[in-house]
């Protein structure tokens, strides 16, 4: 796993002739200032430098046309990025230009993905496979004050692709590591190649069919090899068509048998209804007591019994309607199968006609036409054979990549990652006094925490559990942890919360916290930087020349 760390941030407004500079060399940095002194603007600028989109960039900040210059390291190698008005330039530690672009979605993210070993791929709205924007690189590492304290995975505006939360949790936790997406990428390329080959094969096959139809009476080949190959191909097609024909006729026979049974049922229902009508009419004409002329036994002819006859009749009518509908449906299916049989018979007749042509039936002009057609057919058949071989090889390669994807997400590893996350979450919730149901397996995408001050503490416990999991299992770069305004909902013991944030960060990671109060943190725990001399004015005119000297050597590369 690669490790990204921020080193120095410089902000410069040529428009206002003001600037700001901040060293971030410490493993733990606390930005301390009151509300409105620009702490959030500093944190958002860290991500603006990489083309990510935090929430709520103030209009006064946009109007200042700030140039953002950020020095950072990746596994100790020094880099710098300069961003202004949608333009981005990246340099190495010696100031050499590495990339200059206005395209975040293609060129910038492609470079950052390679630099930070970020291989996640997702589907966009046009159903194209893409590397998602830089927001997805930093999503688990930034807790902003505008959305993150209410729910995880809400720090950036650019997390707009479908199923982003689940995909981000799967990727950054290591459930679906780089190896999975690398294999998926290779498989997607192979699938695209195969579909292109299949499209080409379909066109060639249609062309061959059209040639036979256009010159159906001139089909004889005078090259014995060509004649043999074409005859074999025609015989294979003929056998396939006969097999289809047998299947269609079998289906037609099944339909006919089913239709016979439904006809019998319909006739029985009609006969029963006719008899019932006669019995009902006779019952209406009889008195309430009816004597049997043979034995003299008396039977009742009550209205209730007559209604029972009517109720039985309603059931029979329903059965009759069902029979009629089924017969209509079967008739449609039979007609469809008959059309299929007719179409097959036409194709079989055409092939039989081609196979029955003799040399003596052809004129000299027919021979010339046949030779031209056969030469073209030979070329097309050879090309189809080559394409078939390539399609087969591509399918095998796809199977290899699909197997690699399965290996990368083995059930054993998945269980190990989820158990690790669960253990860290329960541990951190206990440490921060957050109630959680320990009888259930927690979700890696979200957690239902209590109301009031317990909610933000639960968010911290969740994020830190996830970040420890990412540090242990993820294959992408681990980025600095940036937390804005952790004192949410009037925490009872912010000293414990701040101590947790600084001391419980994953090993070797960098944490930057913006807060209005230090809550017991001192220079022994972190580097404390007091921000701002004036409210609503982060940039300082006294720093303009100093910061200009730092950025000036790089500005020319923006053009």
């Amino acid at each position: 796993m690669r490790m990204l760390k921020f080193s120095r941030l410089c902000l410069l407004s040529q428009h206002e002739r003001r600037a700001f500079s901040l060293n971030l060399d410490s493993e733990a940095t606390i930005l301390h200032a009151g509300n409105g002194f620009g702490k959030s603007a500093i944190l958002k600028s860290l991500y603006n430098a990489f083309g990510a989109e935090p929430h709520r960039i103030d209009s006064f900040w946009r109007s200042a046309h700030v140039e953002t210059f950020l020095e950072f390291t990746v596994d100790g190698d020094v880099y710098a990025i300069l961003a202004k008005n949608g333009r981005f330039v990246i340099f190495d530690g010696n100031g050499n230009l590495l990339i200059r672009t206005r395209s975040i979605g293609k060129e910038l993210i492609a470079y950052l993905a390679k630099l930070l070993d970020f291989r996640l791929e997702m589907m966009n709205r046009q159903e194209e496979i893409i590397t998602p924007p830089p927001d997805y690189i930093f999503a688990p590492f930034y807790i902003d004050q505008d959305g993150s304290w209410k729910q995880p995975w809400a720090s950036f505006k650019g997390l707009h692709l479908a199923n982003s939360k689940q995909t981000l949790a799967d990727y950054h936790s290591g459930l679906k590591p780089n190896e999975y997406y690398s294999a998926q990428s290779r498989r997607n390329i192979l699938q695209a190649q195969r579909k292109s080959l299949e499209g080409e094969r379909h066109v060639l096959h249609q062309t061959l069919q059209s040639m036979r139809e256009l010159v159906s009476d001139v089909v004889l080949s005078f090259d014995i090899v060509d004649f043999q190959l074409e005859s074999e191909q025609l015989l294979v097609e003929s056998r396939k068509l006969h097999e289809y024909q047998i299947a269609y006729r079998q289906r037609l026979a099944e339909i006919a048998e089913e239709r016979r049974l439904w006809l019998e049922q319909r006739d029985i229902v009609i006969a029963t209804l006719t008899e019932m009508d006669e019995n009902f009419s006779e019952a209406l004409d009889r008195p309430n007591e009816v004597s049997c002329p043979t034995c003299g036994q008396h039977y009742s002819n009550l209205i209730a019994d007559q209604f029972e006859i009517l109720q039985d009749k309603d059931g029979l009518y329903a059965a009759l309607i069902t029979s009629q509908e089924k017969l209509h449906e079967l008739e449609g299916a039979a007609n469809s199968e008959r059309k299929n049989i007719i179409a097959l018979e036409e194709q079989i007749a055409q092939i039989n006609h081609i196979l029955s042509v003799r040399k003596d039936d052809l004129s000299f002009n027919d021979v010339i036409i046949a030779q031209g057609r056969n030469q073209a057919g030979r070329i097309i058949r050879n090309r189809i054979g080559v394409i078939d071989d390539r399609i087969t090889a591509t399918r095998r390669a796809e199977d290899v990549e699909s197997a690699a994807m399965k290996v990368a997400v083995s059930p054993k590893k998945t269980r190990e990652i989820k158990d690790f996350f669960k253990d860290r979450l329960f541990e951190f919730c206990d440490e921060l006094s957050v109630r959680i149901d320990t009888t259930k397996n927690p979700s890696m995408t979200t957690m239902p925490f209590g109301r009031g001050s317990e909610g933000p503490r639960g968010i911290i416990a969740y994020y830190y559990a996830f970040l420890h999991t990412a540090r242990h299992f993820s294959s992408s770069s681990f980025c600095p942890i940036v937390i804005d305004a952790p004192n949410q909902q009037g925490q009872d013991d912010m000293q414990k919360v701040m101590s947790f944030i600084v001391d419980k960060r994953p090993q070797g990671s960098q944490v930057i916290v913006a807060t209005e109060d230090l809550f017991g943190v001192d220079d022994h725990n972190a580097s404390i930087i007091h921000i701002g001399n004036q409210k609503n004015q982060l940039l300082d005119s006294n720093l303009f020349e100093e910061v200009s000297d730092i950025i000036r050597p790089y500005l020319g590369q923006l053009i």
Side-chain angles (χ1 to χ4, degrees):
M1 170 187 281
R2 297 176 187 175
M3 185 69 74
L4 167 69
K5 293 186 177 181
F6 301 142
S7 303
R8 180 170 63 170
L9 174 69
C10 294
L11 304 173
L12 180 71
S13 172
Q14 301 281 358
H15 177 70
E16 296 183 352
R17 296 189 64 80
R18 296 175 183 271
F20 176 82
S21 179
L22 175 67
N23 287 323
L24 295 166
D25 291 329
S26 176
E27 293 293 300
T29 301
I30 306 297
L31 305 182
H32 175 230
N35 187 32
F37 279 82
K39 301 185 301 298
S40 295
I42 293 171
L43 301 186
K44 294 175 191 294
S45 296
L46 294 171
Y47 298 108
N48 282 330
F50 290 100
E53 290 187 273
H55 296 287
R56 293 181 60 182
I57 305 297
D58 295 329
S59 58
F60 78 87
W61 186 262
R62 295 182 187 278
S63 64
H65 303 291
V66 177
E67 298 160 6
T68 303
F69 179 77
L70 177 65
E71 292 178 341
F72 61 96
T73 62
V74 179
D75 286 349
D77 294 331
V78 179
Y79 298 88
I81 186 166
L82 178 61
K84 180 182 179 181
N85 295 336
R87 293 174 291 173
F88 300 87
V89 191
I90 300 179
F91 307 89
D92 64 16
N94 296 318
N96 299 313
L97 177 66
L98 298 175
I99 180 177
R100 177 175 55 230
T101 182
R102 285 179 173 268
S103 173
I104 296 175
K106 290 186 178 180
E107 294 178 355
L108 180 61
I109 186 55
Y111 184 84
L112 292 176
K114 183 177 180 181
L115 179 65
L116 300 176
D117 202 16
F118 178 73
R119 303 183 203 171
L120 175 64
E121 290 190 339
M122 297 179 69
M123 189 87 72
N124 65 10
R125 292 172 183 171
Q126 290 73 42
E127 297 187 348
E128 300 169 331
I129 301 296
I130 63 166
T131 300
D135 311 63
Y136 287 76
I137 297 176
F138 303 105
F141 304 99
Y142 178 38
I143 305 178
D144 80 316
Q145 69 169 344
D146 296 313
S148 299
W149 294 109
K150 298 176 182 177
Q151 59 178 331
W153 310 104
S155 302
F156 294 96
K157 293 170 61 177
L159 304 175
H160 58 271
L161 298 175
N163 203 27
S164 287
K165 288 185 179 181
Q166 186 65 58
T167 302
L168 283 166
D170 288 345
Y171 177 71
H172 284 287
S173 67
L175 286 172
K176 290 183 178 178
N178 277 334
E179 292 78 12
Y180 175 90
Y181 289 99
S182 295
Q184 184 186 65
S185 177
R186 293 191 295 269
R187 190 190 66 176
N188 290 337
I189 292 172
L190 289 167
Q191 286 178 337
Q193 292 174 349
R194 175 173 54 81
K195 289 178 181 179
S196 176
L197 289 169
E198 288 173 344
E200 183 179 353
R201 189 193 187 285
H202 178 74
V203 170
L204 291 170
H205 184 73
Q206 290 295 105
T207 301
L208 206 57
Q209 290 292 104
S210 298
M211 287 172 55
R212 289 173 183 160
E213 294 172 1
L214 290 172
V215 283
S216 58
D217 291 330
V218 191
V219 295
L220 191 61
S221 170
F222 297 100
D223 184 295
I224 189 64
V225 176
D226 284 349
F227 180 80
Q228 188 175 15
L229 288 173
E230 187 168 359
S231 297
E232 289 176 356
Q233 185 180 18
L234 290 169
L235 287 170
V236 169
E237 291 186 26
S238 179
R239 281 195 294 270
K240 287 183 179 179
L241 292 174
H242 277 292
E243 290 173 0
Y244 293 149
Q245 188 181 48
I246 291 171
Y248 287 140
R249 290 188 183 280
Q250 178 65 31
R251 175 61 183 151
L252 189 61
E254 293 172 357
I255 293 172
E257 177 62 20
E258 187 177 357
R259 185 173 182 276
R260 183 186 64 78
L261 294 174
W262 280 103
L263 279 171
E264 290 179 359
Q265 176 174 315
R266 185 197 64 179
D267 292 343
I268 291 172
V269 171
I270 291 174
T272 303
L273 282 170
T274 301
E275 182 179 348
M276 187 173 289
D277 284 340
E278 293 174 355
N279 291 338
F280 184 69
S281 297
E282 184 178 353
L284 292 176
D285 295 334
R286 296 283 183 178
N288 292 339
E289 292 284 337
V290 181
S291 300
C292 176
T294 304
C295 64
Q297 179 69 35
H298 291 274
Y299 295 93
S300 63
N301 182 29
L302 300 177
I303 294 177
D305 296 327
Q306 296 171 10
F307 271 110
E308 286 182 6
I309 296 176
L310 287 177
Q311 289 174 356
D312 292 341
K313 186 176 179 181
D314 290 340
L316 288 170
Y317 270 124
L320 179 60
I321 292 171
T322 300
S323 299
Q324 296 285 29
E325 290 176 348
K326 193 64 180 179
L327 286 170
H328 180 73
E329 178 186 329
L330 290 170
E331 185 62 29
N335 289 334
S336 177
E337 299 300 334
R338 292 189 191 99
K339 290 179 182 178
N340 290 332
I341 292 172
I342 292 172
L344 286 174
E345 288 175 344
E346 292 176 354
Q347 295 180 58
I348 292 170
Q350 184 180 12
I351 290 175
N352 290 337
H353 171 68
I354 293 172
L355 291 171
S356 66
V357 174
R358 298 176 178 274
K359 283 186 181 181
D360 294 342
D361 298 329
L362 305 176
S363 66
F364 180 70
N365 184 58
D366 293 335
V367 171
I368 295 175
I369 295 173
Q371 284 292 77
R373 187 193 69 89
N374 290 335
Q375 179 66 20
R378 183 189 307 116
I379 294 171
I380 294 173
R381 286 193 299 275
N382 289 341
R383 179 59 184 165
I384 289 176
V386 171
I387 290 175
D388 284 342
D389 291 340
R390 290 178 62 186
I391 289 174
T392 300
T394 304
R395 284 189 182 278
R396 289 173 181 162
E398 286 180 45
D399 292 341
V400 170
E401 301 304 339
S402 295
M405 291 170 64
K406 289 182 180 179
V407 169
V409 293
S410 68
K412 180 180 178 182
K413 185 178 180 182
T414 297
R415 186 72 268 153
E416 182 183 0
I417 292 172
K418 289 185 175 181
D419 286 346
F420 185 93
F421 169 76
K422 178 181 69 174
D423 292 342
R424 298 292 82 69
L425 181 64
F426 290 170
E427 174 190 344
F428 295 158
C429 282
D430 181 63
E431 189 164 342
L432 292 173
S433 302
V434 177
R435 290 168 295 177
I436 186 171
D437 188 351
T438 57
T439 64
K440 297 180 180 179
N441 289 322
S443 168
M444 296 191 77
T445 56
T446 186
M447 282 298 295
F449 295 110
R451 296 181 179 180
S453 63
E454 190 175 2
R457 294 200 307 277
I459 289 289
I460 294 174
Y462 166 83
Y463 267 106
Y464 264 54
F466 188 91
L467 291 171
H468 275 265
T469 305
R471 184 72 178 95
H472 196 75
F473 294 101
S474 179
S475 51
S476 183
S477 291
F478 198 90
C479 302
I481 303 166
V482 178
I483 302 175
D484 193 1
N487 186 21
Q488 299 285 320
Q489 301 292 332
Q491 296 294 320
D492 297 329
D493 192 353
M494 270 303 297
Q495 187 168 344
K496 178 192 288 187
V497 173
M498 287 294 290
S499 177
F500 177 89
I501 290 172
V502 173
D503 297 337
K504 292 293 185 178
R505 67 183 186 275
Q507 184 179 7
S509 64
Q510 182 184 33
V511 63
I512 302 168
V513 183
T515 178
E516 294 182 32
D517 198 315
L518 294 176
F519 299 108
V521 178
D522 56 30
D523 293 332
H524 295 93
N525 309 94
S527 173
I528 299 174
I529 301 175
H530 303 281
I531 301 298
N533 296 316
Q534 182 179 342
K535 195 169 184 178
N536 297 325
Q537 186 60 67
L538 172 66
L539 304 182
D540 188 344
S541 58
N542 295 323
L543 294 174
F544 180 77
E545 293 299 333
E546 176 186 335
V547 175
S548 292
D549 291 340
I550 296 172
I551 297 181
R552 190 175 294 112
Y554 303 95
L555 281 175
Q557 299 291 349
L558 274 175
I559 303 173

